[in-house]
Amino acid sequence: MKKLSLITLTLFFLGITTTFQAQTVDEIIANYFENTGGKAAWEKVTSLKYAGVADAQGMEIPWTMYMTQDGKQALTIDLQGQTMTQFAFDGETMWTTNFMTMSPEKSDTETSGNIKKSSAKNFPSPFLNYKDKGYTVELIGDETIEGTETFKIKLVEDPIMVDGVETPSITFYYFEKENFVPIALETEVKQGPMAGQTIKDIMSDYQEVGGLIFPFSMTQGGQPLTVKTIEVNPEIDNTIFAFPTAAGDSEKKE
C-alpha cells in the first residue's frame, strides 16, 4: 500500500510539473502579445509591408517585403537602380529570380508545398493561436543570449518534406525575460549546401507601429537587416506575387 501511495504521489507531482510548465509557456506567449499590442490587435492584421536596407559587405541594398494573411509573400530588392523580385509566393507556387540569367524561375513542387503549409499559418506570428494551428510549444529552460536572460521555447510546426521524406519542422525562440519579446531564433537548415547547419537570427530595436511592436533590427542567415518603415494593413496589389506571364514557364527540375 505504501509503495502504491508513493507511485500515485509521484505521478501526481509529475502531472503538476507538466501542467505548470505548459501554463508557464502559455503565460510567456500571452505576455508577448500583451506587451506588443494585444492579441486582439494582432488578430486584425491582414497585411504587412516592410521596407529597409540590407548590409552586403558594406553596400546597402534597399529591400521591400510584402506579406498577407492568406500566405502570399514577396521580397523585392533594388540593385543598382533596378527593382527585382528575389522571391515570391502566390499562395500556390514559389518563384525566384535567377541572378545569372535575370529570368524568373518557379521553385520545385516540394519547396512550394513546404511554404504553402506554413506561410498563412505563420502570419503574422506562428505563436498566434498556435494550438488551433496544430503546433506545439515547450519551455526548454533559461538561456543567456548576448548578455540577456531569456526563456528558450521550442516551437514544433507541421512537418515539411525534404527530398521526399517527411521531416520535423522545429524552431527555438529566445524570449527576453523583461519584456517577453523574442530576441533570437534558431533553426537547422534542412536543404542546400548548408544542410545540417544551425543558424541563429537576432532581433532587436523594437518600436511601435500602428499600436503594435516590431523589431527594426535583425539578422537573417547572418546578414544584417535594418527596417526603415513598416505599414500595417496596407493595400497590396496581388500582381506583386504573380509569376511573370511574359517569362513563360521556366521551372526548376525536381
Side-chain angles (χ1 to χ4, degrees):
M1 178 65 72
K2 288 184 179 180
K3 183 176 181 181
L4 179 60
S5 298
L6 180 61
I7 293 175
T8 303
L9 191 63
T10 300
L11 291 174
F12 173 76
F13 279 110
L14 282 174
I16 289 179
T17 302
T18 302
T19 303
F20 176 74
Q21 186 182 61
Q23 289 175 341
T24 301
V25 171
D26 285 337
E27 180 178 298
I28 293 169
I29 294 173
N31 285 333
Y32 159 59
F33 285 115
E34 182 64 28
N35 290 355
T36 57
K39 183 182 176 184
W42 281 105
E43 289 176 333
K44 294 178 182 178
V45 178
T46 59
S47 61
L48 290 168
K49 179 182 177 182
Y50 296 79
V53 293
D55 183 356
Q57 298 179 341
M59 180 176 66
E60 288 192 344
I61 299 178
W63 56 268
T64 305
M65 182 73 184
Y66 305 85
M67 307 172 71
T68 66
Q69 66 178 353
D70 57 359
K72 296 184 178 70
Q73 300 179 20
L75 175 65
T76 64
I77 61 174
D78 190 336
L79 197 59
Q80 297 179 338
Q82 181 180 0
T83 299
M84 60 188 71
T85 301
Q86 185 165 347
F87 83 86
F89 177 68
D90 64 5
E92 293 292 334
T93 302
M94 178 180 171
W95 60 275
T96 62
T97 298
N98 184 320
F99 290 137
M100 296 295 291
T101 63
M102 298 309 293
S103 299
E105 294 181 348
K106 291 184 179 181
S107 297
D108 58 66
T109 303
E110 189 172 86
T111 300
S112 292
N114 285 337
I115 193 171
K116 183 178 181 180
K117 281 184 178 181
S118 63
S119 57
K121 279 188 171 184
N122 289 353
F123 180 92
S125 166
F127 292 102
L128 187 63
N129 301 317
Y130 75 88
K131 293 179 182 178
D132 296 339
K133 301 171 182 178
Y135 294 172
T136 61
V137 298
E138 178 185 356
L139 177 60
I140 301 300
D142 302 337
E143 192 158 328
T144 302
I145 302 294
E146 298 188 349
T148 300
E149 292 296 318
T150 71
F151 298 107
K152 182 177 181 180
I153 291 179
K154 177 182 179 181
L155 171 70
V156 181
E157 302 177 33
D158 294 336
I160 62 173
M161 299 300 293
V162 178
D163 298 328
V165 179
E166 191 172 81
T167 305
S169 178
I170 298 171
T171 306
F172 295 96
Y173 285 79
Y174 298 84
F175 287 75
E176 62 103 11
K177 292 185 176 183
E178 183 177 356
N179 297 305
F180 295 94
V181 294
I183 62 170
L185 64 87
E186 188 177 67
T187 188
E188 179 184 321
V189 179
K190 301 296 185 181
Q191 294 174 298
M194 292 182 62
Q197 296 185 36
T198 298
I199 59 173
K200 180 179 286 187
D201 294 334
I202 305 297
M203 297 159 283
S204 61
D205 189 22
Y206 277 83
Q207 301 179 34
E208 185 270 333
V209 178
L212 300 173
I213 307 297
F214 298 87
F216 272 67
S217 180
M218 61 193 78
T219 62
Q220 189 173 57
Q223 183 179 54
L225 301 175
T226 300
V227 178
K228 298 292 187 181
T229 62
I230 297 176
E231 296 178 44
V232 179
N233 294 335
E235 291 188 11
I236 299 177
D237 185 350
N238 278 331
T239 59
I240 191 69
F241 309 111
F243 186 78
T245 54
D249 194 20
S250 178
E251 185 169 0
K252 287 185 180 180
K253 294 182 179 180
E254 296 183 38

